[in-house]
Amino acid sequence: MNTLKIADLSEDRINYIFKIADTAKKYSKTYFHKMHTLAEGRCLATLFFEPSTRTRLSFETAMTSLGGNVVTVADGVSSSAMKGETLSDTLMTVGQYADVIVCRTKEHLKEDNLKNVPVPIINGGDGDGEHPTQALLDLYTIQSYHYMRMQAGKLKVLFLGDLQYGRTVHSLMPLLARYDCKIYHRCPDNRKLPAGLRNLSEDAEASWEKRILPHVDVIYCTREQQERAEGEFVENYAMNYGLHDKNINDLNENCIIMHPLPRGGEIPNSFDQDQRSVYFEQARNGVYVRMALLAESMELPCYKIQ
Ligand code: NCD
């Protein structure tokens, strides 16, 4: 099954994936556990037409941790896309070599163009569209701190930053909305949420530092996506849409601070030692969740590892 957008991830799929991710996490240091041979003989192809550190490397770490192999086009430049090949032809071809494909593209991925590809395709971020696997690992991280509040529909989440181009938000916000979370957002006027997502959250506006910040359970920061904005920068982005040293004392003691990374100046390094900062833990959880998603997508016999 493909994973192109958050709507492809039903509640049942997510529960199953998180169960396997828990096993992966539990046995992450036990290298002789059965999990580490589950994908023996299988091959993952990572095809990245935009820059990536975390997504590509965590998928590749995930596949090798399952005992599988990896082939990669890491920069797009060395592929036949440069010769004018269509994405669907590239994926059809790579589908003859690999058992699963993770791709990151500049354009939005559409199921219709990919329906003949013989192996599952996972969206590793499609332009300013979606980033469903980041949303999965974000949800996994949030649940590990706030499971009860989430299940009770009491979770409060604040999204900060470039919400127009930040594709991780485009996947995470509708996913959280399924759990009836109270969602706030704060963004520059020229970086507003896409129209289809606007009814899911409330604008936190100018008084956010006093009115919203002390009460939320999750703050989700994002960088300014300058590469998508054709030279139209946001003035004082980090100053107005980031966190500052002075904010740390106002935060709720159980509030977690998240970021998909990479960060610009929107979270000061001084926050890194605070136990509420979980952005590097998100990156680590990415390996467990992606191990689980790969296993699920390839329909590996996961009953053998429980
Ligand atoms: C994000 C992405 O690529 O969308 N990074 C990631 O995958 N962890 C966020 C970003 O680039 O700002």
Side-chain angles (χ1 to χ4, degrees), residues 11 17 20 42 45 52 74 78-79 83 94 131 135 139 214 233 237-238:
E11 198 180 334
I17 290 164
I20 305 171
R42 309 284 180 129
S52 171
S78 56
S79 80
K83 301 182 194 166
V94 176
H131 197 342
L139 182 71
F233 300 125
Y237 180 86

Side-chain angles (χ1 to χ4, degrees), residues 10-22:
S10 64
E11 198 180 334
D12 282 353
R13 269 192 89 188
I14 293 177
N15 290 342
Y16 182 72
I17 290 164
F18 283 4
K19 207 167 134 221
I20 305 171
D22 284 343

Side-chain angles (χ1 to χ4, degrees), residues 54-55 104 131 134 167-168 223 225 260-262:
R54 275 149 291 269
T55 304
R104 172 169 285 190
H131 197 342
Q134 178 72 38
R167 58 193 171 197
T168 68
R223 74 180 170 94
Q225 307 263 320
L261 302 175

Side-chain angles (χ1 to χ4, degrees), residues 48 50-56 104 124-127 130-131 133-134 137 165-169 220 222-225 227-228 259-263 266 290:
F48 277 63
E50 281 193 345
S52 171
T53 304
R54 275 149 291 269
T55 304
R56 188 172 65 81
R104 172 169 285 190
D126 60 340
E130 286 214 33
H131 197 342
T133 70
Q134 178 72 38
L137 72 90
Y165 296 120
R167 58 193 171 197
T168 68
V169 176
Y220 194 94
T222 58
R223 74 180 170 94
E224 183 185 6
Q225 307 263 320
E227 74 274 29
R228 305 196 193 283
H259 196 305
L261 302 175
R263 63 179 148 180
E266 59 279 344
R290 286 167 172 148

Side-chain angles (χ1 to χ4, degrees), residues 161-201:
D162 181 346
L163 306 185
Q164 177 180 359
Y165 296 120
R167 58 193 171 197
T168 68
V169 176
H170 302 169
S171 292
L172 182 58
M173 196 181 273
L175 182 57
L176 288 175
R178 288 188 199 172
Y179 299 86
D180 289 332
C181 301
K182 176 70 194 165
I183 304 175
Y184 300 95
H185 70 263
R186 176 168 161 75
C187 59
D189 280 344
N190 54 351
R191 299 298 167 85
K192 284 193 193 314
L193 278 163
L197 295 176
R198 286 190 195 152
N199 61 348
L200 299 181
S201 66

Side-chain angles (χ1 to χ4, degrees), residues 49-95:
F49 300 103
E50 281 193 345
S52 171
T53 304
R54 275 149 291 269
T55 304
R56 188 172 65 81
L57 292 185
S58 64
F59 264 114
E60 294 180 358
T61 306
M63 189 61 172
T64 50
S65 299
L66 290 169
N69 301 313
V70 176
V71 290
T72 189
V73 173
D75 57 9
V77 180
S78 56
S79 80
S80 288
M82 293 308 286
K83 301 182 194 166
E85 185 169 54
T86 62
L87 181 65
S88 69
D89 277 2
T90 304
L91 291 170
M92 273 300 280
T93 306
V94 176

